[in-house]
Amino acid sequence: MTEKGQTSIGTEERVLMCGNEALAEAAILAGCDAYFGYPITPQNEIPAYMSRRMPEEGRVFVQSESELAAINMVFGASATGKRAMTSSSSPGISLMQEGISYLAGAELPAVVVNVMRGGPGLGNIAPSQSDYFQATRGGGHGDYRTIVFGPSSVQEMADCMSLAFELADKYRMTAMILADGFLGQMMEPVVLKKRPSPELPPKDWALTGAKDREQNIVRSLWLGEGVLEDLNFKLDDKYKQIQKNEVLCEQYEVDDAEIIVVAYGIAARIVSGAVTRAREEGIKVGWIRPVTLWPFPTEQISKAADEFRLFLTVEMSTGQMVEDVKLAVAGKAPVVFYGRPGGGVPTVDEILDKIRQLTIRHKTQDSRLKTQDKR
Amino acid sequence: MKTVFQRTPTLKDCPTHYCPGCGHGIAHRLIAEVIDELGIRGSTIGIAPVGCAVLEYDYIDVDMIEVAHGRAPAVATGMKRTNPDKIIFSYQGDGDLASIGAGEILHAGHRGEQITVIFINNAVFGMTGGQMAPTTMADQITATTPKGRNVAEEGYPLCVSELLAVLPGVTYIERCALSTPANIRKAKKALKHAFELQINKAHGLSLVELLSSCPTYWRMSPPDATKWIDNKMTKVFPLGRLKG
Amino acid sequence: MTANGLYEEIIIAGFGGQGIMLTGKLLAQTAMQAGKEVTYMPSYGAEVRGGTANCMVIISETKIACPVVAKPDSLIVMNKASLNKFGPRLKNHGLLIMNSSLIDTEPQLDETIEIISIPADELAVELGSQKSANMAALGAYLQKRAYLTADQAGQALPNVLAKRYHKTLPLNIKALQCGAEFTKSCCKV
């Protein structure tokens, strides 16, 4: 898709776009000043789109020599107060971790898109969700976090973008869109509209030339005794604020559910298909979909675990988010896992089968518990 | 009383952490003087390296950033592309620019980024304790070449400026030495020219390589170190304008 | 079809260069312009170079949950390898549109599956270019399923075809109609 559709952007009209391009256009609508990136499948539509659209808007596009350079170009542009982003896929994101850590240390805003593919190593180019740990735990060295969105549709890919730029500026840190090859390549109707921006703190820390003021310094090196410790505590306070204020999560038919399926991204779409069919079979099942993966909807899941239920986590990995689900459930209910790693995409039938099996298990355990209660 | 010398305002009035005889202090002064003479303090952004000069922002009073080892040219690219009217300079040592950052400087030059690079070559990694750098001289003893650099196994000193000079995107390269007063005056002239090129929006990257002494890890007295620059280093790294 | 009306899962497959992705995009675009919900998912990366190409399209009256097509309701195959690969996945009572110009064997499929065997390449060559064989096959499909028309697809085509190919619009629109006519004539009761 190249020339078409541009007239519809910024209106209520639906355009058919792939996730990668919708996200790129949404970044432009969100006021992204500069894009820096390096080719890697399955996100090549993003730099290609940006190479055409950013100059049209009088903004900056640079194809860097590597992902290392790309993230450091983001670092430089962001330090001057500009909205900057990069995108890549899993192996490239590994290379960017150095820069992401420096961004955290220097408290610079940035938006990073990871259109995940199978790993480890070169892996393959099929969709995967195996970078969850890397994304939600910081990813590089040091004690830090990044805000992570796990969109599950082309529309949400676009919607996350303006929110990512906003939160990155608000908290002066990296916001990451954790998508996958499926979402990047898939086309769906999308409405691309400029979102009104809330008031954000002024970037008085930015490097703009020390004209008629004292010098500004952007740094992540703190050698004085206790200084870095203070910074780490300050960052931690910020992260706690984010955990309190910025969690996004979607729930479906959870109230009467005996089984709750937790999934994010494209896996959540497949889960929702399976849950609908299970409901048609009379199985009491619902789902919880974290939209922000960090901050994680710990409270929402913990609350759901207060009543006796079974939790099923479905991921396109051998089990990463399931650890956060277990931490949230905190032993109050059993948590089981179903995963397809290495580019495998679960089918509705597979998940439906899993749900059916759990129904049997839930009934036996539930009746056992009831018997115990009577005694 | 007649004032014959005074600190230029952009050089901060504070003691540095550098060893006696180290060239960084001289380089910092020259940069600060050039910035003041050109009147660009209010529009200049500097990039400090990883290495002994990591605290450069404590000495030079302009907006500054400290970046990951070797990545200064990429950071400079991000800054200059989004701020074409600002004057962007990076300050990098030989470990930073010639070793871990060889890719970044090559491609910034290759793209013709309109930035000014100040490349301090003291033939050794300073901050980490005097290990071999790509620029270390043949047979030079360092923390990681205890028997001297064996060129058969560890390679010859890397002449980055000569490599960069062939790139069409590089406008100006000059190598100077922070050894004698005459050489230091030449170095200042070169730095000024490099900044002027950027101010005048000349296409491409400008780079000044400064041969600089490290008496501590050369295991020499400061006067001997200065002589070593002129007698030994300039044989491998000849002074003069390589391009532009 | 479900209780909520139209719900159709389609796989379109062939080899690289047959315009498989464009066909899928056009189907999705046409459906979207007709106010329907759609998803389109191409095969991507190295596998599409020189090898087989395929895409999945879902068209629905209501919001689409899962965009993955495991067992399609309809299958459009433009070469033999694609028939062999995707034929067995077709649902019972499904629809197979196959390009008989490049498939010389009878498919061994469940007897409930309806088959339209269209010489798409020959028809396209007659119209002026083999390249619009994909459009003939899509026209045949649309005529059979009848939730969208070949005319609607023709109207949507400029929105998915890159501008540098717009000179081929008349030919491609003709091919869409020709495919539809083919279905009309061969499926007369």
Side-chain angles (χ1 to χ4, degrees), chain C residues 68-159:
Chain C
V68 186
V69 176
K71 295 176 189 155
D73 301 292
S74 295
L75 175 65
I76 303 174
V77 285
M78 297 301 289
N79 68 350
K80 206 166 158 181
S82 300
L83 174 64
N84 293 341
K85 182 172 175 186
F86 294 104
R89 283 164 61 173
L90 198 50
K91 266 185 204 158
N92 290 352
H93 304 283
L95 170 65
L96 173 71
I97 308 283
M98 62 174 239
N99 178 15
S100 61
S101 305
L102 296 180
I103 304 170
D104 52 8
T105 48
E106 277 293 303
Q108 303 299 307
L109 296 172
D110 189 273
E111 60 190 20
T112 63
I113 288 169
E114 184 172 359
I115 300 171
I116 294 181
S117 188
I118 174 173
D121 283 48
E122 275 110 325
L123 290 174
V125 169
E126 269 172 42
L127 290 173
S129 169
Q130 192 178 7
K131 284 191 173 159
S132 30
N134 56 339
M135 293 295 129
L138 182 63
Y141 165 79
L142 291 172
Q143 180 64 34
K144 180 67 208 169
R145 277 300 196 226
Y147 59 89
L148 294 168
T149 65
D151 283 347
Q152 282 174 300
Q155 282 154 22
L157 187 57
N159 293 329

Side-chain angles (χ1 to χ4, degrees), chain A residues 34 60 62 65 72-73 75-77 79-80 82 98 102 207-210 213 215-221, chain B residues 12 41-42 45 54 57 60-66 68 71 74-75 78-79 81-83 86 104 107 111:
Chain A
V60 173
V62 179
E65 67 270 29
N72 280 287
M73 288 175 188
F75 189 81
T80 68
K82 306 290 183 185
E98 176 192 77
Y102 277 70
L207 308 181
T208 55
R213 61 160 168 80
Q215 77 175 146
N216 278 344
I217 299 170
V218 171
R219 59 193 290 194
S220 63
L221 178 77
Chain B
K12 292 192 199 175
R41 179 187 173 267
I45 305 171
V54 67
Y57 41 75
I60 299 182
D61 189 25
V62 297
D63 273 8
M64 286 204 81
I65 190 168
E66 160 236 291
R71 315 290 172 234
V75 175
M79 289 179 160
R81 293 292 186 110
T82 50
N83 299 272
K86 295 283 186 290
E104 281 75 11
H107 284 277
R111 287 189 302 268

Side-chain angles (χ1 to χ4, degrees), chain A residues 50-62:
Chain A
M50 287 304 212
S51 70
R52 182 171 59 80
R53 286 282 292 125
M54 291 297 266
E56 275 176 16
E57 298 286 325
R59 305 187 205 173
V60 173
F61 167 86
V62 179

